[in-house]
Structures are given as structure tokens and as C-alpha cells.
Amino acid sequence: MARQHRIDLIRQIAESRGSVVLCYITGDRENVHTRIAPDVTEVFYRHLEMSGDCSQIDLFLYTRGGDVLTPWRLVHLIREYTPRFTVIVPFRCYSAGTLLCLGADEIIMGKMGELGPIDPSVVNAYNPQDPNNPTARIPVNIEDVYSYLALAGEKAGVCSNDQQVKAFTILAERIHPLALGNVHRNYLLIRSLAKKLLAMHQQPLREGRSEHIVDNLTEKLYAHSHMISRREAMEEITLNVLMPDEKLESLIWALFQDYAKEMALSEPFNPAEKLCGNKTEFEVVSGVVESLHGADAFIFSGVVERHDFPETGKVNVNILRQGWRTIS
Amino acid sequence: MTDKKININFKTNETKYYLLTEGSGYPLADFTLSCFSGNAGTRLVIPESIPKTSNIIPGTDES
């Protein structure tokens, strides 16, 4: 990885902001995705310990989301080292990434910065089977479930108790009751987490603003794939968004592009291309935590083998290890 | 300029299946994943749609 180049960019951002900069990238390279998950907490701790206490920490974050509880833990951990916490959003920062932003005093969004709704889809063993792949479970979006009940009440005129029971029974016939229980638990959890994260700001939000932000990010955007630009985040959702000046904007974008190039985010990972002979070992980096003091990578290690499959050119890919590794 | 022909298939909803793990890794479920214990039936495999504008295959003759 071109760490030396990134050190230079990270240092320039840190100097212009008067902060300690920590970068966290969860790769979305096709076939080897990574996500926000609890195993990154220890990696953050290593970097925060190396940086020590400081007046401000800027988290440079690129992610499509992940586990909804991890942002809560990460924000608490970061705030052990600083009174002021900022997230820098160069490009995608969806779902659990947006949740993490709620715990920051301010969010610096470049022109390409995007947040997303915090309306997670939940999945457990009781979720419906995918008709195209019986081994797979279809995630259920919690807002879809509540939207169905609202549709029944508002548009279909379901108002009596009997009609409400019937509407719920139809739902429970298609989605296992334990999956629905999981949906409801997460419906409550996401709102609670979002409000608690907003309450961690250095300057408390005025009354009603927290509810406005949470309502907008959960049920008022109507599509999980809605991409929230910095103007929408600032003017409609009323998040504490700052626009970087031209110099900072170009530094932020250059740093993101360095990661994107190094991790080949826009190219699918094709293990067959790694094959030399009949068997080749490979390693692919698909997540990074980096600061001036060091770098950790999330690495998939495996073997790609050519067998005598009936289909010409088909290979077997065996992932033998995956995990965070300190590389610098 | 090259005179390579390209195929453009306007796929808007390509679905792939990924293995949901407890950690950060989230690999393609088609891979053999011997680093995870338990049989395939107990793992959570989930579909993910990857919207694409086009699927460009250089060097093919079809148009």
C-alpha cells in the first residue's frame, strides 16, 4: 500500500484541522466486502493509544454500513481520548456509518460526501428463505414492516381491532414471528441509539432537533438506498455539517482516491486472475484502519485452485483466514 | 482509440450472495469458507443487489 503518500495527506489534513486523524475504510470491492463490526474496536484502541489524548479527533470514514451496535462502542472509545470528535466523509458513509456520524460534534462532507438512512434491514435464522437460493435468508427492512402496517391503517382503512389483527396475521403468516420480534427490537434499538449518540455532542442540541434528525433518517426518507448529499444533510435533516474549503476538499478526495486505488474498490475481486499453475495462494486487503502512527488491514487469505470441473475455466476458491492484521 | 468491440448489457439488479459473519469480513458465499466453523445450514447467507450501469466485456465479437 502507498502508505508514505497517505501519511503525507493525513499529516496535511491533521495540520489544517489541528486534529489527530484516524482513517477507517470498509471495502466494498465486489466478492470481498467488509463492514463495520465489533472486531474493529480493538484496532481503534491500538491507534488511539498510540495517538494519546488530544483536543480533537477526525475520523476519515468510508463505509456502506454494518453492525448497528459498533458505532455506539466506537464513539464512546474515541471520546475517551478527546472532548471534540468529527467525522470526515469523503464519499459513501451509509447506514451504520451515518449512525456513527450522529455521535460526532460535526460532520465534514466533501462535494462527493453521502450519508444514508439508518433504517437497517435485519436478518436471523427465522427470516424468509430466498426463493432463488434456499440457503439464503432475505433481510427484512424494519421500516418496510412498519410501513405495511401504516399502509393498512391509512390507505386500506384498517381501523377496527379485528381488522388490525387480520392485517398483522397476514404479516405473521409470511414472516416468522421471531423474525418480526427481531424487527421490532431493532426498530426500538436504532431510534434509541441514534438519540443517545446525538446526546453525546459537546454542545447539546436544542429541544426537538434530535427527534427531527432521527425521524428524518429513519422513516422519512422512504428508501434505504437514498443518498443524502451534504446540502440535504445540513438544510433538511439539520445535521452539523461543515463544508471543507477547496484545499481541504482536495486533500480529502486525494486521500480517498488513494485508498480506492490501492484496494481496487471499483474492480471485482477475481481470484482466477491470481492463478498460476493449478494452485496459488492469495491475500487481498479489504479494510483499513490507518493513522500517522501505524496501519492495520483486514485481509482475506486463501487458495485458488483449478480442478477438473465440467465447466472450462472454473476454479475453487477457499478462504482460509480472514481478520485484522497490523501491517505498520 | 482501439477498435475493440464491447458488450453492454444493462443489468440493473445483479444479485450476489454473501456470508454474513460476526466480524468485519463479509465474503462471497460461493467461495469455500473453511475459516468458519459450523455447517453451511447454520450460516446466514444473504442476497445483495449490486446495481450496475453496464457490464463491459472487452474483446468479444458480439454486439
Side-chain angles (χ1 to χ4, degrees):
Chain A
M1 300 182 85
R3 175 158 162 77
Q4 197 49 49
H5 180 230
R6 285 197 299 277
I7 284 179
D8 184 42
L9 292 168
I10 292 170
R11 185 170 285 125
Q12 288 185 64
I13 294 172
E15 281 172 6
S16 86
R17 297 266 309 144
S19 65
V20 165
V21 175
L22 180 60
C23 303
Y24 178 27
I25 312 293
T26 67
D28 52 0
R29 186 178 186 187
E30 201 172 318
N31 303 340
V32 280
H33 289 189
T34 53
R35 56 198 278 270
I36 293 177
D39 57 351
V40 81
T41 314
E42 209 173 330
V43 182
F44 266 55
Y45 177 63
R46 184 178 98 84
H47 285 262
L48 291 165
E49 277 293 299
M50 286 190 293
S51 302
D53 290 352
C54 58
S55 59
Q56 180 167 317
I57 291 177
D58 291 344
L59 178 67
F60 183 94
L61 181 61
Y62 175 84
T63 184
R64 288 187 185 253
D67 171 54
V68 295
L69 289 171
T70 304
W72 172 247
R73 183 67 192 98
L74 291 180
V75 173
H76 270 277
L77 183 62
I78 290 166
R79 286 193 179 275
E80 291 284 342
Y81 296 84
T82 185
R84 187 154 187 83
F85 167 47
T86 300
V87 178
I88 298 175
V89 180
F91 190 13
R92 299 184 180 108
C93 185
Y94 301 157
S95 201
T98 299
L99 198 56
L100 207 159
C101 288
L102 297 187
D105 296 296
E106 59 192 18
I107 308 163
I108 295 180
M109 292 179 75
K111 289 172 186 160
M112 283 291 285
E114 294 172 3
L115 302 179
I118 52 168
D119 58 341
S121 292
V122 294
V123 61
N124 67 13
Y126 298 103
N127 272 43
Q129 276 187 339
D130 184 333
N132 299 317
N133 181 351
T135 61
R137 303 284 164 199
I138 300 175
V140 176
N141 185 286
I142 57 175
E143 297 302 329
D144 284 349
V145 172
Y146 284 88
S147 189
Y148 161 72
L149 296 172
L151 175 74
E154 291 166 21
K155 305 287 183 200
V158 171
C159 35
S160 73
N161 278 350
D162 282 356
Q163 287 173 319
Q164 284 175 1
V165 168
K166 197 174 172 191
F168 188 78
T169 305
I170 292 168
L171 183 65
E173 280 168 358
R174 282 158 180 78
I175 301 175
H176 194 287
L178 292 182
L180 283 175
N182 191 32
V183 164
H184 184 60
R185 194 164 48 79
N186 277 279
Y187 174 88
L188 299 172
L189 173 70
I190 202 75
R191 282 160 174 76
S192 160
L193 278 176
K195 282 182 187 167
K196 284 161 83 171
L197 282 162
L198 287 164
M200 292 175 77
H201 290 195
Q202 247 187 339
Q203 296 215 324
L205 300 178
R206 67 171 191 274
E207 210 183 323
R209 188 164 159 210
S210 171
E211 286 74 14
H212 172 85
I213 292 170
V214 176
D215 286 350
N216 269 277
L217 288 175
T218 51
E219 59 199 80
K220 290 188 177 169
L221 289 170
Y222 305 117
H224 184 69
S225 51
H226 183 95
M227 291 165 273
I228 303 169
S229 70
R230 60 183 184 177
R231 286 196 189 280
E232 184 178 8
M234 185 165 44
E235 291 165 12
E236 293 180 35
I237 303 176
T238 70
L239 289 165
N240 278 347
V241 172
L242 291 185
M243 296 187 185
D245 60 27
E246 255 180 62
K247 189 183 170 207
L248 185 57
E249 165 96 32
S250 79
L251 287 170
I252 288 170
W253 190 245
L255 183 56
F256 168 70
Q257 290 216 296
D258 194 287
Y259 283 119
K261 188 177 172 194
E262 198 72 39
M263 296 165 75
L265 295 181
S266 59
E267 301 162 23
F269 172 64
N270 182 3
E273 289 173 359
K274 305 274 179 193
L275 191 60
C276 301
N278 285 329
K279 184 176 177 182
T280 306
E281 293 184 3
F282 67 86
E283 287 196 335
V284 56
V285 170
S286 199
V288 173
V289 174
E290 188 167 40
S291 64
L292 287 178
H293 303 282
D296 290 74
F298 191 92
I299 298 173
F300 291 95
S301 310
V303 174
V304 54
E305 289 174 282
R306 193 187 309 280
H307 287 305
D308 294 329
F309 288 112
E311 295 168 50
T312 314
K314 196 172 177 193
V315 296
N316 179 52
V317 180
N318 191 353
I319 303 279
L320 300 169
R321 287 181 303 280
Q322 65 165 31
W324 287 100
R325 190 190 304 167
T326 298
I327 54 172
S328 171
Chain B
M1 285 286 284
T2 67
D3 55 1
K4 278 183 184 172
K5 288 188 177 178
I6 58 168
N7 252 2
I8 299 179
N9 303 316
F10 286 92
K11 292 182 178 178
T12 54
N13 202 18
E14 186 175 299
T15 301
K16 285 200 164 188
Y17 291 89
Y18 286 85
L19 180 77
L20 197 62
T21 70
E22 290 179 354
S24 300
Y26 182 26
L28 189 70
D30 291 349
F31 294 163
T32 305
L33 299 153
S34 52
C35 55
F36 298 106
S37 57
N39 63 53
T42 61
R43 296 175 192 154
L44 285 175
V45 174
I46 60 164
E48 200 146 288
S49 295
I50 303 168
K52 287 181 176 175
T53 308
S54 63
N55 181 25
I56 299 171
I57 307 164
T60 52
D61 289 326
E62 298 84 7
S63 59

